[in-house]
Amino acid sequence: TSNTPENDAQVKTGDDTNANAQPGTKVVIGFSAPAADHGWIAAITANAKAQAQAYSDVELRSVEAGADAAAQRAALATLISQKPNVIVMLPHDGKELNATGLEAMRAGIPVVNLDRAFPSAAAYRLQIKGDNYGMGLAAGMYIGEQLKAKGASNPIIGEIPGIDSLELTQERTQGFNAALAVYGFKVANRRPAEFTADTGQAAATSLLQALPKMDALWNHDDDQGIGVLAAIKQANRSEFFMVGGAGSKAAIDAIAKDDSVLKATVTYSPSMASSAISLARLIGQGKGMSDLVELQVPKEIMLASETITKENAAKYAKLGF
Amino acid sequence: MITEAAPPEVRSERRRGIDESVLRNLGLVGVLIILVIIGAATRPDLYSDPTWVKNNIFTILQQASAIGVVTVGMTFVIIGGGIDLSVGAIIALAGVWATTLATQSYGAGGMIFTALVVGLVVGLINGTLISYGRLVPFIATLAMLVSARGLAAQISGKQTQVSANDTINNIATTRLLGIPLLVWMLALVVAAGWVLLNRTTFGRRTVAVGGNPEAARLAGINVKLHTVLLYALSGLCCGIAAIMLTSQATSAQAAMANLYELDAIAAAIIGGTLLSGGRGTIIGALFGVLVFSTITNLFAINNLSTEVQNMVKGGIIVAAVLIQQFRFRSLTHLLKR
Amino acid sequence: MITEAAPPEVRSERRRGIDESVLRNLGLVGVLIILVIIGAATRPDLYSDPTWVKNNIFTILQQASAIGVVTVGMTFVIIGGGIDLSVGAIIALAGVWATTLATQSYGAGGMIFTALVVGLVVGLINGTLISYGRLVPFIATLAMLVSARGLAAQISGKQTQVSANDTINNIATTRLLGIPLLVWMLALVVAAGWVLLNRTTFGRRTVAVGGNPEAARLAGINVKLHTVLLYALSGLCCGIAAIMLTSQATSAQAAMANLYELDAIAAAIIGGTLLSGGRGTIIGALFGVLVFSTITNLFAINNLSTEVQNMVKGGIIVAAVLIQQFRFRSLTHLLKR
Amino acid sequence: MTDPVLRLTDVVKTFPGVRALDGVQLEVTAGEVHCLLGQNGAGKSTLIKVLAGVHHADGGEITWQGEPFAPATPQAAMRAGIATIYQELDLVDDLSIAENAFLGHEESRFGFLRRTSTASRTREILARLGHPEIPARQLVRTLPAAGKQIVSMARALSHDAKLIVMDEPSAVLAHDEVENLFRIIRELTAQGIAVIYISHRLAEIREIGDRVTVLKDGRTTAANLPARTTPTRELVGKMTGRSIEYVFPPRTAKDLADPILVVEGLTRAGEFADASLTVAPGEIVGIAGLVGSGRSELLETIFGARPADAGTVTLDGHRITGVGAAVSRGMGMAPEERKSQALLLDEPVYKNMTLASFAGFARGGFTAAKDERAAALRTADSLELRPRDVDRPARTLSGGNQQKVVVGRWLLGKTRLLLLDEPTRGVDVGARAELYQVIHGLAADGVGVLLVSSEVPEVLGLADRVLVMREGHLIHEAPADELDEDTVLDLVMAGSLLEGEPA
Ligand SMILES: Nc1ncnc2c1ncn2[C@@H]1O[C@H](COP(=O)(O)OP(=O)(O)OP(=O)(O)O)[C@@H](O)[C@H]1O
Ligand SMILES: Nc1ncnc2c1ncn2[C@@H]1O[C@H](COP(=O)(O)OP(=O)(O)OP(=O)(O)O)[C@@H](O)[C@H]1O
Ligand SMILES: [Mg+2]
Ligand SMILES: [Mg+2]
């Protein structure tokens, strides 16, 4: 998430004991993720490419999908016509690309859906999801616990989500609200940003102005969090603590150093792209996951959202993106 | 005193007058051909397969269909001296409204009716604000953009609404005489737009209202009412586009058709419509849309990364306009000699 | 033959001429006051604290600072008969370029210099394409928008680039005589813009070039060169804004300043600038920007949800323009009697 | 005489700060040509706009065919049978001639145009106007100003009108075209249609007019004078409140120095060819010719506003290749079309006047508005600008006063060679005399003047030397006192572009 030159992707390197790591039949994997000038999406694409590199039997054909669902549909149409063995896609919007998933499956190409679910189960072979609701839940739980420990009775909690019209944002907010409700707390003010640092700064500035005193703040995204933290510094505020989201390297470093209001972040890791490529390879070769009894890869996998704090930051340092 | 034949200059004047718009369009056809040649040169494997080529043409046309319909409406508004920044938002509102569970319960007819009426009504509001509220079109439709997207988000609860109606969803997959239904719809709207602009009093008055509003008023045209109708027409086109897009995505959401306003305005202008009003062609606007969707297609088959795509796209747009101008100027030069 | 004293009408005419733009601005001040009153009425708890109110004013001004600087440049371009859709993209490119590790190694001076030069050069390219390439401004700057954002993404590797330079980052926190540095910068740019437009030959040429380019040309003004300078000016303002934004966000990225073009154009037009060129005021544009950032502030302190915010915002914009027109018309009416 | 079809009593119309009409009386009878005479800004155009439903009178009474009449919209006036040819061309450039003629009352079936019948009806009207050669389906954009004026007339004739109002229809027409216009007017009046005719050319009024009403400062100062017999002195007196002793200042003998402007073999394909001429300091050179003979194009090319295909222009020995060079070397041009080529309509008069010279007033890039305003006021005085207010927007000036602003622009600053294209178009008699004085004054100060005018007497009266242009060629050159009007007309008339070559 920063302009540090070494940008090591999250890759699972094969260990020799795993039979699945041995080269098998060649698999052509088609890959498509939306274009976004966002660290998380950039990391998704980078991870997928790096993981494919790690296998000698995988050829990755990645098609960039422009700015919206329509563009991605067009890109996938050309991809399907090239008949890859498996398609891995992070759809712009699961519902809007459901028809494309169905089309590929009907053409006999197994589809691995990354992150944004298709409503129709026939539209995918495997679904790997981050847990948006769980992410909100984790953030809410952390904040609830901390505030309860401080004995706050009627705390003022702020929230800075990302693009508000996205469903994933809605899910995160729902999870957050559900967790706070457990403690009898609720959000006092919510100012959406757009997943970028400059909008994060603007949203946070507004929020801080609207809440002259605050106890806790959840910012959904560490990338926009750069701006949020800047705004907090500019407003000279420190009476509250903040929880981030996604788990960027910069955020994890800041938590470890413990020199700002940022005390924790809840993960939503782009490492799912690496896993998706590994599993797509197995699907293409007709293999299962070797630790499981089943002969085939399961249909759905949901990553757990983990909470990174000062205590465990060192462990996660390598997973930051 | 008077001879029957027009003096030679006068006739050449006239030939040139007709050639102006035809040449412009020819220029755009040239740009399209160049784009296709680049496609064939970079991906000979794909272009050597005739079935693929045929399908690719349909893909390009289908991609162009919704934005093409919007551009027809936009072209009218711009020729009439206005601008409509709310087209994307109208599509979103119409699409979302048409796919609420309540609307879907009325079936395909109810959904289509809803989309069209929502588009029309929003267009009428735009037009009324501009004509009778005397708001600048830019501001009025910008305000509408913001409001309509907000209302769409409210109605949809910020969720993507899935269309469960097969009739609607099948619009995007049906073919008629081997040609996709969406392409037929585009063709129909373009043809209707052409006739409306060039062969009806409404169209001619549109040119007058945009070209010289004072003259239009002095000639007894109700400029305000006409302006309202222009925005209503644009809204109606958005309603049609909303159905087309909803069918393609089998769903609608508040953020759909994002920035369509920019694409539609750009296509109209590349097609030779004056942003200041009073001049424009429907066929040119169609070519403008096709240039954009062919560029997108070219990028897709060559799998350019988004950032390279964007860097190149700006260059292609500039080149396209320059080619068009070059052809235009040098040819009229030849004709003049 | 000629009487020495001007007839009485003459003087009243002149008074009215001045009142027109002043009244428009007064209208916007009225709108601002109404917005503040609504704020105070809905959140008396906050507004009863003078320190908070002072801070709030600074917050509003700081939020307005970067877009305000961009709007000054945009106002010049529009008055000069053009439009610049690439401002947001120029900010992104300048910001990203200024925060690469290589640039940061030259320190704050190097970063500022880079941002300004990038802005200026992109502006010069815009202007050259438009003046000498004869591209329509809308298309040329739209192409630049796409290309510059693409290049910014390429340079940044689509990553958010953090500024490690404290001098830059401190711009957003420094205060001078109790007033934030960003506000001083905005004030300076607005003042310079006002002088440039109203008191210099450059400003006079701008009005002439936008009002009637043919007349300007026949009066010996180098219209093409002047047009280039206008876009360069806008680019330079974007470079300044890039520094301001980078300092505020302590980082830059390819998607920053998204849709600033729409905001800047809207602010200029609300402030009384004619989209067709030839007329406009810098002070009005500033008020336009302030109206928008005050609306955002009002929404924030009342914790409105995004969708309600948007629905209401469109209405407020329409109401603001209507109020302004109403005041304007009724007051001139009173003056007439 | 029969009962008047139109009667205006005490009509008042105010604009913010101006009483444009301040008690106008007018009566027009069927079948007569009623001329309106008045200085620039007297209120003539305002008056006819009230009749046409464009403006609404603030007071007074209008009766039309015996009924009280107050048209709310232009449409209402047209329906009542009043058609208008406006002073400013009111056409839509991107519509065809036929579409312009029938704009607002198109021939249509279910909203679809009947293009063939529209075109043939337009052709009929054009033929009636003496221009069967103008193609009805051609875009108006391609027509020169004179052609557009003919389309405006065609539009008026396309209505079934009982009164046709013509606001300076002859301003952009050449001699032969005016004859044509008069023929039409006679046809109309023979059918009992009344015509209100506005012109600043007294000769025209004498030829076509029946009765004259004179306006001054928005008031009727004389009504229903016989057009043919009222002495000029009386008409001018009622208009201006003073008498004009002479029109053209007496020519003085000059010893001419070497030419300041030398044009050699200048050519633009399709417009003019091989034009060579010189102008000496202090000399006034006039170019006579018909509309469409290419005089404007020649002037604009000399000025550097159009690139030449061949030939050279030198000013004081320096090649002129562009407007910038021309202006900085002291050349100035007052173009033909004031609205599209010269004026910033929303800007105050003084800024329009100093458009070419504000940089000269400026100090270090900062403009000196006070000096500019003062200089503009001086020019306004010498040209009799009415009202004498340099702060009002140019848009609110009457047509003739706008023309004065355009010419006045080049009286400021250090102009050494002045190109004037139809400088007196729409300017009233009094102001015209002032303008002539000013031009002579300039020449006396050593400024060279190259003048284009469609009014032959003006060229002959004002110039020292006359060039005659026909179809893009300079065909004759002679000192002005060796030519008379008939000779020039004969030279010029050998072929008018608008009419085509004689077979
Ligand atoms: N829209 C307007 N707003 C303000 N003043 C106006 C407007 N139109 C005309 N006037 C003023 O009304 C007066 C009469 O103008 P009008 O155009 O009727 O003169 P005119 O007799 O037609 O002159 P000309 O011979 O120059 O055409 C002038 O003083 C003019 O400045
Ligand atoms: N009836 C016509 N139809 C089409 N083009 C014409 C017509 N008459 C003239 N033109 C074009 O206009 C050009 C010259 O017109 P213009 O009227 O500017 O000449 P001019 O001598 O300056 O006349 P004036 O200044 O009196 O109007 C010619 O090159 C010719 O091509
Ligand atoms: Mg007049
Ligand atoms: Mg001419």
Side-chain angles (χ1 to χ4, degrees):
Chain A
T1 197
S2 73
N3 44 348
T4 39
E6 80 283 2
N7 199 343
D8 37 358
Q10 302 157 323
V11 176
K12 181 81 183 166
T13 38
D15 50 292
D16 299 334
T17 54
N18 184 347
N20 277 347
Q22 303 311 312
T25 50
K26 187 160 185 252
V27 181
V28 177
I29 300 177
F31 178 80
S32 166
D37 299 315
H38 186 252
W40 189 84
I41 298 269
I44 283 277
T45 307
N47 284 345
K49 286 186 175 156
Q51 185 66 57
Q53 280 285 309
Y55 295 115
S56 56
D57 52 357
V58 166
E59 183 194 333
L60 192 75
R61 274 205 203 133
S62 111
V63 293
E64 289 258 357
D68 57 13
Q72 193 172 23
R73 272 199 300 278
L76 281 163
T78 54
L79 185 60
I80 291 171
S81 72
Q82 298 172 35
K83 297 234 174 288
N85 299 103
V86 191
I87 288 179
V88 177
M89 75 162 109
L90 195 156
H92 211 271
D93 179 306
K95 288 172 188 164
E96 288 192 73
L97 277 127
N98 191 42
T100 306
L102 281 171
E103 195 187 325
M105 290 289 282
R106 269 198 228 111
I109 308 169
V111 174
V112 177
N113 173 310
L114 247 183
D115 189 41
R116 297 167 195 179
F118 293 140
S120 150
Y124 59 92
R125 162 66 185 80
L126 164 65
Q127 181 163 296
I128 303 181
K129 282 183 68 179
D131 187 1
N132 282 306
Y133 187 86
M135 194 182 166
L137 212 56
M141 286 298 182
Y142 179 85
I143 287 175
E145 281 301 327
Q146 297 292 314
L147 290 178
K148 200 175 84 179
K150 281 190 194 151
S153 63
N154 210 351
I156 297 167
I157 300 169
E159 182 186 358
I160 299 179
I163 297 174
D164 206 23
S165 61
L166 296 182
E167 258 188 72
L168 67 93
T169 301
Q170 299 308 306
E171 288 169 15
R172 290 177 187 185
T173 294
Q174 279 158 17
F176 188 54
N177 288 338
L180 291 182
V182 171
Y183 301 89
F185 301 160
K186 62 185 208 306
V187 172
N189 202 327
R190 183 175 179 279
R191 297 288 98 202
E194 283 163 30
F195 288 135
T196 61
D198 62 324
T199 57
Q201 193 267 351
T205 304
S206 289
L207 182 84
L208 294 171
Q209 192 57 28
L211 302 177
K213 269 200 68 64
M214 186 158 65
D215 294 292
L217 167 65
W218 183 38
N219 161 55
H220 286 207
D221 181 79
D222 286 335
D223 232 31
Q224 74 187 16
I226 297 168
V228 174
L229 285 169
I232 292 168
K233 203 170 149 220
Q234 283 150 20
N236 226 345
R237 297 272 291 267
S238 58
E239 80 279 5
F240 58 91
F241 66 93
M242 167 172 153
V243 176
S248 75
K249 203 167 278 157
I252 297 174
D253 288 350
I255 292 166
K257 266 200 249 145
D258 195 17
D259 62 350
S260 72
V261 290
L262 185 65
K263 299 300 178 202
T265 187
V266 289
T267 63
Y268 194 88
S269 178
S271 62
M272 65 172 77
S274 318
S275 308
I277 295 294
S278 301
L279 294 173
R281 169 175 169 268
L282 293 182
I283 291 170
Q285 294 172 342
K287 294 181 189 160
M289 292 165 80
S290 50
D291 288 339
L292 304 186
V293 183
E294 282 75 19
L295 293 180
Q296 296 289 329
V297 174
K299 174 120 177 162
E300 249 185 75
I301 292 172
M302 187 184 274
L303 304 184
S305 180
E306 296 146 62
T307 308
I308 303 174
T309 59
K310 189 180 172 190
E311 285 70 38
N312 61 10
K315 198 172 85 193
Y316 283 94
K318 279 193 66 179
L319 271 183
F321 63 91
Chain B
M1 176 169 72
I2 291 142
T3 53
E4 55 283 61
E9 304 89 299
V10 172
R11 229 175 298 123
S12 84
E13 260 302 316
R14 182 179 175 190
R15 173 146 35 82
R16 205 164 49 124
I18 292 173
D19 282 338
E20 277 198 29
S21 78
V22 172
L23 275 183
R24 244 182 185 284
N25 289 349
L26 273 187
L28 283 175
V29 172
V31 170
L32 279 175
I33 291 174
I34 294 174
L35 287 175
V36 170
I37 291 175
I38 296 177
T42 47
R43 290 302 302 267
D45 52 328
L46 293 176
Y47 267 88
S48 59
D49 174 0
T51 329
W52 182 89
V53 172
K54 197 186 103 195
N55 272 331
N56 197 43
I57 292 172
F58 287 153
T59 307
I60 292 176
L61 287 170
Q62 271 177 296
Q63 292 286 317
S65 59
I67 184 76
V69 169
V70 175
T71 304
V72 169
M74 182 70 85
T75 304
F76 271 90
V77 171
I78 298 181
I79 294 177
I83 197 155
D84 189 351
L85 294 183
S86 65
V87 288
I90 299 181
I91 293 179
L93 184 60
V96 161
W97 210 316
T99 50
T100 56
L101 287 182
T103 315
Q104 290 204 32
S105 70
Y106 290 100
M111 291 170 73
I112 293 175
F113 179 79
T114 306
L116 297 182
V117 168
V118 169
L120 192 67
V121 169
V122 177
L124 283 172
I125 297 175
N126 275 337
T128 308
L129 284 174
I130 291 162
S131 266
Y132 299 100
R134 301 216 211 165
L135 291 181
V136 201
F138 191 95
I139 295 297
T141 57
L142 182 68
M144 182 55 81
L145 184 172
V146 182
S147 288
R149 286 228 184 258
L151 184 56
Q154 179 78 22
I155 290 176
S156 66
K158 298 187 218 169
Q159 306 286 315
T160 303
Q161 296 183 166
V162 175
S163 154
N165 187 299
D166 281 339
T167 316
I168 295 289
N169 295 352
N170 286 341
I171 293 175
T173 49
T174 307
R175 290 190 174 207
L176 246 166
L177 306 176
I179 293 170
L181 188 56
L182 289 174
V183 178
W184 282 113
M185 290 173 72
L186 173 63
L188 206 78
V189 171
V190 168
W194 188 88
V195 170
L196 189 62
L197 182 62
N198 296 296
R199 291 287 180 269
T200 69
T201 51
F202 180 86
R204 301 290 86 193
R205 288 178 178 196
T206 303
V207 174
V209 165
N212 192 342
E214 183 62 15
R217 198 171 74 90
L218 293 180
I221 294 173
N222 189 337
V223 175
K224 294 201 171 194
L225 179 63
H226 195 90
T227 303
V228 173
L229 294 180
L230 286 174
Y231 287 91
L233 177 67
S234 171
L236 192 65
C237 287
C238 294
I240 300 174
I243 298 162
M244 296 166 83
L245 270 188
T246 301
S247 139
Q248 283 177 283
T250 66
S251 60
Q253 87 183 129
M256 79 196 281
N258 193 26
L259 296 187
Y260 266 37
E261 48 276 11
L262 273 188
D263 292 350
I265 298 171
I269 293 180
I270 284 203
T273 300
L274 273 191
L275 193 50
S276 51
R279 197 194 306 175
T281 81
I282 298 291
I283 304 296
L286 174 68
F287 282 129
V289 171
L290 290 181
V291 165
F292 280 115
S293 69
T294 308
I295 293 178
T296 308
N297 182 261
L298 184 64
F299 290 151
I301 62 175
N302 280 293
N303 191 25
L304 291 191
S305 74
T306 323
E307 58 271 27
V308 176
Q309 252 182 51
N310 284 343
M311 290 190 310
V312 176
K313 189 172 176 183
I316 294 185
I317 296 175
V318 169
V321 179
L322 287 179
I323 289 176
Q324 183 188 357
Q325 276 179 0
F326 171 77
R327 287 183 54 89
F328 171 61
R329 260 190 265 152
S330 63
L331 274 181
T332 45
H333 218 67
L334 284 178
L335 285 178
K336 266 209 298 196
R337 313 252 137 193
Chain C
M1 180 162 61
I2 291 145
T3 52
E4 53 283 57
E9 311 89 280
V10 171
R11 231 170 298 123
S12 83
E13 256 306 309
R14 184 174 170 190
R15 172 147 34 82
R16 204 184 45 123
I18 292 172
D19 281 340
E20 277 200 30
S21 79
V22 171
L23 274 185
R24 245 185 182 283
N25 288 349
L26 272 187
L28 282 175
V29 172
V31 170
L32 278 175
I33 292 174
I34 293 174
L35 288 175
V36 169
I37 290 175
I38 296 176
T42 48
R43 290 301 302 268
D45 52 327
L46 293 176
Y47 268 88
S48 59
D49 173 2
T51 328
W52 182 89
V53 171
K54 195 185 105 194
N55 267 331
N56 200 41
I57 292 171
F58 286 153
T59 306
I60 291 175
L61 286 171
Q62 269 177 299
Q63 301 269 51
S65 59
I67 185 74
V69 169
V70 176
T71 304
V72 169
M74 181 71 85
T75 304
F76 272 90
V77 171
I78 298 181
I79 294 177
I83 196 156
D84 190 350
L85 295 183
S86 65
V87 289
I90 300 181
I91 293 179
L93 185 60
V96 161
W97 210 317
T99 51
T100 58
L101 287 181
T103 315
Q104 291 204 32
S105 71
Y106 290 99
M111 292 170 72
I112 293 175
F113 179 78
T114 306
L116 297 182
V117 168
V118 169
L120 192 67
V121 169
V122 178
L124 283 172
I125 297 175
N126 275 337
T128 308
L129 284 175
I130 291 162
S131 265
Y132 298 101
R134 303 216 209 166
L135 291 180
V136 200
F138 191 95
I139 296 295
T141 57
L142 182 67
M144 183 54 84
L145 184 173
V146 181
S147 288
R149 287 233 184 254
L151 184 57
Q154 178 77 24
I155 292 176
S156 66
K158 302 190 212 169
Q159 304 288 317
T160 303
Q161 297 184 161
V162 174
S163 154
N165 188 300
D166 281 340
T167 316
I168 295 289
N169 296 350
N170 285 342
I171 293 174
T173 48
T174 309
R175 291 192 172 205
L176 248 164
L177 309 176
I179 292 170
L181 188 56
L182 289 174
V183 178
W184 280 113
M185 288 172 75
L186 174 64
L188 206 76
V189 171
V190 168
W194 188 89
V195 171
L196 190 62
L197 181 63
N198 296 296
R199 291 286 180 268
T200 70
T201 53
F202 183 88
R204 187 69 75 76
R205 285 194 192 103
T206 305
V207 173
V209 165
N212 188 342
E214 180 66 5
R217 192 174 77 97
L218 293 181
I221 294 172
N222 190 336
V223 174
K224 297 204 167 195
L225 178 64
H226 193 82
T227 303
V228 173
L229 294 180
L230 286 174
Y231 287 91
L233 178 66
S234 171
L236 192 66
C237 287
C238 294
I240 300 173
I243 298 162
M244 295 165 84
L245 266 191
T246 301
S247 139
Q248 282 177 286
T250 65
S251 61
Q253 90 182 124
M256 79 195 283
N258 193 26
L259 297 186
Y260 265 38
E261 48 277 11
L262 274 188
D263 291 350
I265 299 172
I269 294 180
I270 285 203
T273 299
L274 270 191
L275 193 49
S276 51
R279 198 197 308 170
T281 82
I282 298 290
I283 304 297
L286 175 67
F287 281 128
V289 170
L290 291 181
V291 165
F292 281 115
S293 70
T294 308
I295 292 177
T296 306
N297 183 261
L298 183 63
F299 289 153
I301 61 176
N302 281 292
N303 189 26
L304 289 194
S305 73
T306 326
E307 58 274 23
V308 176
Q309 243 181 60
N310 283 342
M311 291 189 309
V312 176
K313 189 173 176 182
I316 294 186
I317 295 175
V318 170
V321 179
L322 287 179
I323 289 176
Q324 182 187 357
Q325 278 178 0
F326 170 78
R327 286 184 55 91
F328 171 60
R329 261 190 265 151
S330 63
L331 272 179
T332 44
H333 218 68
L334 283 179
L335 285 178
K336 259 207 308 197
R337 312 259 133 187
Chain D
M1 228 171 225
T2 49
D3 269 353
V5 280
L6 177 74
R7 187 198 297 275
L8 276 71
T9 330
D10 293 332
V11 170
V12 174
K13 169 73 197 169
T14 56
F15 291 113
V18 189
R19 265 178 113 78
L21 299 182
D22 191 13
V24 171
Q25 334 287 336
L26 175 70
E27 51 174 72
V28 181
T29 54
E32 78 160 334
V33 178
H34 199 110
C35 297
L36 273 182
L37 210 55
Q39 282 176 292
N40 297 131
K44 305 179 294 295
S45 298
T46 308
L47 176 63
I48 66 132
K49 283 187 176 162
V50 168
L51 285 178
V54 179
H55 293 325
H56 306 288
D58 300 327
E61 210 177 304
I62 306 175
T63 55
W64 169 240
Q65 297 185 314
E67 307 275 316
F69 180 64
T73 62
Q75 217 163 9
M78 279 179 224
R79 251 187 264 117
I82 298 179
T84 310
I85 300 171
Y86 295 94
Q87 181 174 12
E88 303 298 340
L89 297 173
D90 56 345
L91 302 178
V92 181
D93 270 346
D94 281 281
L95 291 181
S96 72
I97 288 158
E99 286 164 347
N100 264 292
F102 285 89
L103 186 65
H105 60 121
E106 299 87 352
E107 300 214 310
S108 64
R109 199 188 291 128
F110 312 121
F112 289 92
L113 297 167
R114 306 176 61 166
R115 305 198 330 142
T116 326
S117 100
T118 307
S120 68
R121 274 190 65 189
T122 309
R123 245 174 262 135
E124 259 167 48
I125 298 171
L126 287 172
R128 228 176 114 196
L129 285 167
H131 288 281
E133 85 289 355
I134 298 183
R137 288 190 175 169
Q138 183 177 320
L139 291 189
V140 157
R141 156 180 312 288
T142 60
L143 290 181
K148 291 182 180 175
Q149 186 66 55
I150 287 161
V151 179
S152 280
M153 290 194 264
R155 175 185 289 172
L157 294 182
S158 75
H159 291 276
D160 201 11
K162 297 187 193 70
L163 170 66
I164 298 187
V165 187
M166 304 185 179
D167 195 354
E168 301 195 32
S170 58
V172 295
L173 294 181
H175 191 83
D176 55 333
E177 293 297 329
V178 176
E179 285 304 317
N180 230 328
L181 174 65
F182 287 176
R183 186 175 50 73
I184 305 293
I185 292 179
R186 288 190 190 103
E187 267 176 39
L188 292 171
T189 48
Q191 295 163 19
I193 295 170
V195 172
I196 295 181
Y197 188 89
I198 301 177
S199 174
H200 290 294
R201 301 180 188 165
L202 283 179
E204 292 179 359
I205 288 171
R206 297 217 181 278
E207 188 180 343
I208 192 73
D210 294 316
R211 296 191 296 166
V212 178
T213 292
V214 183
L215 295 187
K216 180 171 188 299
D217 298 333
R219 247 176 237 139
T220 301
T221 51
N224 307 333
L225 303 172
R228 276 174 200 83
T229 52
T230 312
T232 303
R233 177 177 286 278
E234 188 184 338
L235 285 178
V236 173
K238 299 273 186 208
M239 263 171 72
T240 61
R242 65 196 162 93
S243 61
I244 307 272
E245 299 300 334
Y246 49 84
V247 179
F248 296 108
R251 216 183 302 277
T252 49
K254 300 170 188 165
D255 319 314
L256 293 176
D258 284 343
I260 172 171
L261 175 76
V262 179
V263 178
E264 270 170 8
L266 207 60
T267 302
R268 265 178 67 85
E271 290 175 359
F272 58 87
D274 200 23
S276 301
L277 58 90
T278 61
V279 180
E283 187 185 23
I284 304 176
V285 178
I287 306 181
L290 288 185
V291 168
S293 54
R295 296 161 303 167
S296 299
E297 286 77 2
L298 176 61
L299 233 54
E300 286 177 16
T301 311
I302 292 174
F303 191 49
R306 296 177 182 231
D309 290 338
T312 57
V313 178
T314 50
L315 184 70
D316 264 350
H318 302 280
R319 279 286 295 274
I320 301 293
T321 49
V323 179
V327 173
S328 63
R329 296 240 172 254
M331 209 192 286
M333 182 178 77
E336 181 176 20
E337 304 266 345
R338 53 182 172 248
K339 275 201 173 161
S340 64
Q341 294 186 296
L343 290 173
L344 302 173
L345 290 170
D346 287 330
E347 290 290 288
V349 166
Y350 84 88
K351 286 189 182 174
N352 272 288
M353 282 208 188
T354 57
L355 187 63
S357 52
F358 64 82
F361 287 98
R363 282 173 224 99
F366 288 88
T367 50
K370 221 187 241 163
D371 299 354
E372 287 181 38
R373 192 181 276 115
L377 264 179
R378 279 196 299 277
T379 313
D381 289 344
S382 67
L383 292 177
E384 285 199 8
L385 190 75
R386 229 178 312 267
R388 182 184 167 277
D389 173 9
V390 295
D391 287 307
R392 66 157 59 205
R395 180 186 297 287
T396 64
L397 254 50
S398 77
N401 282 300
Q402 289 179 348
Q403 186 67 36
K404 295 179 201 165
V405 174
V406 174
V407 175
R409 173 175 304 162
W410 298 103
L411 306 183
L412 299 165
K414 302 173 286 293
T415 310
R416 304 181 47 236
L417 177 77
L418 189 53
L419 312 178
L420 298 172
D421 197 351
E422 311 281 4
T424 57
R425 177 174 285 177
V427 173
D428 70 52
V429 215
R432 203 175 274 227
E434 300 293 332
L435 196 56
Y436 295 153
Q437 281 286 6
V438 168
I439 293 172
H440 262 264
L442 285 173
D445 291 344
V447 174
V449 178
L450 184 57
L451 165 85
V452 164
S453 172
S454 294
E455 290 177 51
V456 178
E458 183 170 288
V459 177
L460 292 178
L462 203 54
D464 301 314
R465 190 152 52 86
V466 174
L467 304 169
V468 179
M469 195 163 181
R470 193 176 76 205
E471 287 164 38
H473 295 272
L474 291 171
I475 54 165
H476 191 79
E477 170 174 354
D481 37 19
E482 292 173 17
L483 288 169
D484 60 28
E485 193 168 346
D486 289 335
T487 323
V488 175
L489 284 177
D490 283 346
L491 284 167
V492 133
M493 293 288 276
S496 147
L497 242 182
L498 279 172
E499 293 183 1
E501 298 281 355

